[in-house]
Amino acid sequence: MEETREFRGISKRLAVQYLETLGGERADEVSDRIESDGWTAELSERTVNPVGSITLNEVRIHFEGDESTLGPVVERFAQKAMRAGG
């Protein structure tokens, strides 16, 4: 199973922390890849302008893993990110 999601108003640093609380570990100290048993997440970050001069941080996460493990991880992450970003 693969799924890509974008989250606005959250930093990549905070996204990594959330993924670590869900059982993931960085592949190495500088990697944007988080790994765990049954799933992996690859992160990227950019600034977007949704309206006029307003800028927001957007983190894109590409999740991969087996369906039984990944589905709950993605949903729990989305709940954490929603609280962080408003």
Side-chain angles (χ1 to χ4, degrees), residues 1-2 36-40 63-73:
M1 171 180 183
E2 293 184 35
S36 184
D37 291 338
W39 61 270
T40 62
F63 295 96
E64 291 185 29
D66 57 70
E67 192 170 344
S68 63
T69 304
L70 187 60
V73 168

Side-chain angles (χ1 to χ4, degrees), residues 4-56:
T4 301
R5 295 234 189 143
E6 291 88 19
F7 300 91
R8 292 184 176 175
I10 184 174
S11 69
K12 187 166 61 171
R13 179 191 57 77
L14 188 56
V16 167
Q17 288 177 355
Y18 286 166
L19 290 167
E20 289 174 339
T21 65
L22 295 172
E25 294 183 7
R26 279 189 180 229
D28 57 57
E29 286 190 31
V30 296
S31 177
D32 292 332
R33 183 177 177 88
I34 308 298
E35 302 174 338
S36 184
D37 291 338
W39 61 270
T40 62
E42 190 81 32
L43 292 84
S44 61
E45 183 175 40
R46 68 182 184 145
T47 301
V48 295
N49 297 78
V51 178
S53 63
I54 297 173
T55 60
L56 292 173

